[in-house]
């Protein structure tokens, strides 16, 4: 099989040592394994800045969306109403989840390249006192826009709402303090910035809020409360857990520490992203999101000219060792390049050299 690096928003390129952890088979009933789960839960809490008296971690089988669905299904009762703030496909997916479950919700959406407006949200919250919860995506992976969670957090506190954040593609790559931001549920998954392999998602949850979720769930598998109750006893998952993925994730957490924690990882990602945008900008590729709203995670680029053939470009770059990501916008032609995972400045420089060659440009 051809070896290439993934410049996508996950699954990502991971280290050999993370992958090697999956060479052993582990028993879900055994204390060694349950201790791995407990260690992961404690470490995630620490990374999120959560005090163990106030917050807890719940791991949930499945991809990231499963964890989002578990939160929506468990945290929002039939008496509640949720305000869903959207400016991209992942926010829209939360709307879809709400429709499937039959939740009372209001969607507030803005254009994909814009921030939600503080005054507009304020007036929604003033007018609709039925709203009990607010949910939003932090880094909208659709475009790479980094949404202002600080502003939403402020409103959420002011109006005393329960605050849910899909930080799937940003947690581990950027500092997010659940206590400071009064986040009640922070959701992410194994195969994003912690640099593990796919198989489970996780939720950092306010213990007080989670306890109040008992009996809310409309389904067995997506019951976050029940999952927590079982896991919190001694680290045993309800139902079969993705043992290989969990072991790899524990190793990925160690490697995050060895790198220097979230600040060091953030600096590496930010540097990757800066070089990528600068060099591609010179080659005529312009980013869809303006600099001040751009995340250090993934960038959406507009096609450089009418005649640009993405499939041809994709194959050319893939043959030279890098896999890119197609765009997800309907109104403009775009593609995406992620810069998270086991990706360093040299990789980005090599990629830019390849693209420069493709574009037939010789000047740097
Ligand atoms: C990756 C991602 C998800 C989850 O996607 P899955 O394919 O279910 O893992 C959710 N929200 C955002 C913002 C993401 O980047």
């Amino acid at each position: 099989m051809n070896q290439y690096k993934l410049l996508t928003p996950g699954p990502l390129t991971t280290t050999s040592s993370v992958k090697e952890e999956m060479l052993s088979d582990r028993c879900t009933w055994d204390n060694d394994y349950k201790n791995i789960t407990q260690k992961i839960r404690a470490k995630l809490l620490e990374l999120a800045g959560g005090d163990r008296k106030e917050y807890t971690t719940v791991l949930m089988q499945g991809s990231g969306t499963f964890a989002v669905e578990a939160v929506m299904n468990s945290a929002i009762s039939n008496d509640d109403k949720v305000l869903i703030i959207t400016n991209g496909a992942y926010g829209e997916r939360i709307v879809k989840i709400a429709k499937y479950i039959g939740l009372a919700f209001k969607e507030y959406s803005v254009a994909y390249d814009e921030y939600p407006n503080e005054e507009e949200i304020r007036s929604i919250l003033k007018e609709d006192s039925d709203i009990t919860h607010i949910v939003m995506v932090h880094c909208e992976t659709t475009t790479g826009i980094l949404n202002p969670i600080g502003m939403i957090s402020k409103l959420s506190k002011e109006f005393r709402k329960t605050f849910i954040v899909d930080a799937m593609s940003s947690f581990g790559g950027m500092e997010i303090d659940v206590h400071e931001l009064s986040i009640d549920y922070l959701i992410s998954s194994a195969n994003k910035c912690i640099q593990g392999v796919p198989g489970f998602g996780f939720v950092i949850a306010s213990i007080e809020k989670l306890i109040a979720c008992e009996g809310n769930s409309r389904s067995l598998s997506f019951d976050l409360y029940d999952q927590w109750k079982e896991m919190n006893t001694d680290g045993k998952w309800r139902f079969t857990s993705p043992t290989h993925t969990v072991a790899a994730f524990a190793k990925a957490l160690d490697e995050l520490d060895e790198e220097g924690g979230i600040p060091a990882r953030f600096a590496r990602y930010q540097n990757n992203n800066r070089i990528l945008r600068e060099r591609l900008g010179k080659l005529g590729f312009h980013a869809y999101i303006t600099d001040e709203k751009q995340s250090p995670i993934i960038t959406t680029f507009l096609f450089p000219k009418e005649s640009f053939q993405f499939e041809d470009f994709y194959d050319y770059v893939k043959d030279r060792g890098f896999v890119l990501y197609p765009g997800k916008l309907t109104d403009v032609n775009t593609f995406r390049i992620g810069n998270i995972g086991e990706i360093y400045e040299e990789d980005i420089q090599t990629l830019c050299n390849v693209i420069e060659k493709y574009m037939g440009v010789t000047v740097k």
Side-chain angles (χ1 to χ4, degrees):
M1 199 183 126
N2 192 7
Q3 291 287 325
Y4 38 70
K5 294 200 171 172
L6 302 175
L7 298 176
T8 63
L12 311 166
T13 295
T14 55
T15 60
S16 307
S17 36
V18 161
K19 288 186 274 277
E20 276 160 19
E21 286 296 312
M22 295 187 286
L23 295 175
S24 307
D25 301 306
R26 290 170 173 88
C27 172
T28 54
W29 285 92
D30 186 78
N31 279 336
D32 290 345
Y33 180 71
K34 289 193 283 193
N35 289 341
I36 298 177
T37 296
Q38 296 298 58
K39 190 188 121 193
I40 288 173
R41 293 180 62 221
K43 185 66 197 175
L44 288 173
L45 205 56
E46 185 192 314
L47 290 174
D51 186 297
R52 47 185 312 159
K53 289 197 201 79
E54 217 186 332
Y55 286 94
T56 187
T57 313
V58 192
L59 312 181
M60 186 56 108
Q61 294 94 331
S63 84
T65 305
F66 289 60
V68 176
E69 186 153 351
V71 171
M72 298 299 288
N73 175 53
S74 308
I76 301 159
S77 78
N78 290 335
D79 299 326
D80 295 326
K81 181 172 181 178
V82 58
L83 172 64
I84 309 173
I85 299 170
T86 70
N87 57 355
Y90 290 97
E92 286 161 12
R93 187 178 293 175
I94 299 177
V95 171
K96 208 167 174 179
I97 289 172
K99 284 182 182 163
Y100 265 85
I101 305 172
L103 302 177
F105 74 94
K106 176 171 180 62
E107 180 182 2
Y108 165 71
S109 68
V110 294
Y112 279 22
D113 57 350
E114 276 175 28
Y115 280 164
N117 180 287
E118 183 169 349
E119 283 319 306
E120 283 173 9
I121 297 174
R122 184 183 295 279
S123 64
I124 291 171
L125 293 173
K126 269 189 189 153
E127 277 160 31
D128 191 345
S129 58
D130 287 347
I131 293 170
T132 48
H133 294 64
I134 301 176
V135 56
M136 83 173 313
V137 175
H138 185 211
C139 170
E140 241 306 347
T141 323
T142 319
T143 58
I145 195 170
L146 189 67
N147 279 318
I149 41 173
M151 180 262 279
I152 308 295
S153 154
K154 209 180 69 188
L155 288 171
S156 174
K157 265 189 245 181
E158 187 183 327
F159 288 87
R160 301 168 149 270
K161 307 301 176 193
T162 298
F163 189 28
I164 304 168
V165 178
D166 169 350
M168 206 71 67
S169 62
S170 54
F171 184 75
M174 307 183 66
E175 296 273 14
I176 305 171
D177 191 309
V178 287
H179 177 78
E180 219 173 274
L181 291 164
S182 294
I183 297 173
D184 297 298
Y185 299 91
L186 177 112
I187 311 156
S188 186
S189 75
N191 61 278
K192 304 254 175 162
C193 296
I194 306 284
Q195 300 187 179
V197 302
F200 69 93
F202 55 86
V203 182
I204 317 288
S206 145
I207 296 173
E208 188 193 334
K209 294 288 164 87
L210 192 57
I211 287 174
C213 292
E214 184 173 6
N216 281 351
S217 180
R218 293 91 176 158
S219 95
L220 174 69
S221 300
F222 287 107
D223 191 338
L224 191 76
Y225 174 84
D226 225 40
Q227 179 87 344
W228 172 63
K229 273 310 233 190
E230 178 120 10
M231 187 172 278
N232 205 41
T233 335
D234 63 351
K236 188 175 171 301
W237 297 50
R238 236 182 13 152
F239 321 141
T240 298
S241 65
T243 50
H244 298 79
T245 300
V246 168
F249 189 76
K251 180 71 179 164
L253 281 172
D254 288 344
E255 293 183 0
L256 173 60
D257 263 352
E258 285 156 22
E259 184 173 348
I262 293 175
R265 185 152 294 178
F266 171 71
R268 173 163 65 85
Y269 287 171
Q270 202 177 38
N271 186 50
N272 286 348
N273 189 264
R274 183 183 53 80
I275 294 167
L276 179 71
R277 285 160 60 90
E278 269 173 23
R279 284 201 61 191
L280 290 199
K282 286 183 191 150
L283 295 170
F285 291 92
H286 297 294
Y288 175 73
I289 297 298
T290 54
D291 280 350
E292 70 281 3
K293 296 191 185 96
Q294 170 68 42
S295 68
I297 308 292
I298 185 168
T299 310
T300 297
F301 291 100
L302 301 163
F303 284 10
K305 50 191 171 206
E306 227 18 64
S307 59
F308 183 74
Q309 294 286 333
F310 178 69
E311 288 76 21
D312 183 63
F313 173 69
Y314 178 91
D315 290 340
Y316 180 92
V317 175
K318 184 179 164 189
D319 284 346
R320 286 154 188 80
F322 298 98
V323 166
L324 307 182
Y325 219 56
K328 216 174 184 174
L329 305 183
T330 47
D331 51 340
V332 263
N333 283 322
T334 57
F335 67 92
R336 291 176 287 174
I337 302 183
N339 55 261
I340 54 177
E342 196 58 5
I343 300 294
Y344 293 85
E345 176 168 345
E346 310 84 83
D347 301 305
I348 299 293
Q349 296 287 8
T350 307
L351 168 79
C352 292
N353 292 342
V354 168
I355 295 178
E356 188 171 281
K357 223 169 190 169
Y358 180 84
M359 297 300 284
V361 177
T362 46
V363 283
K364 271 241 164 104

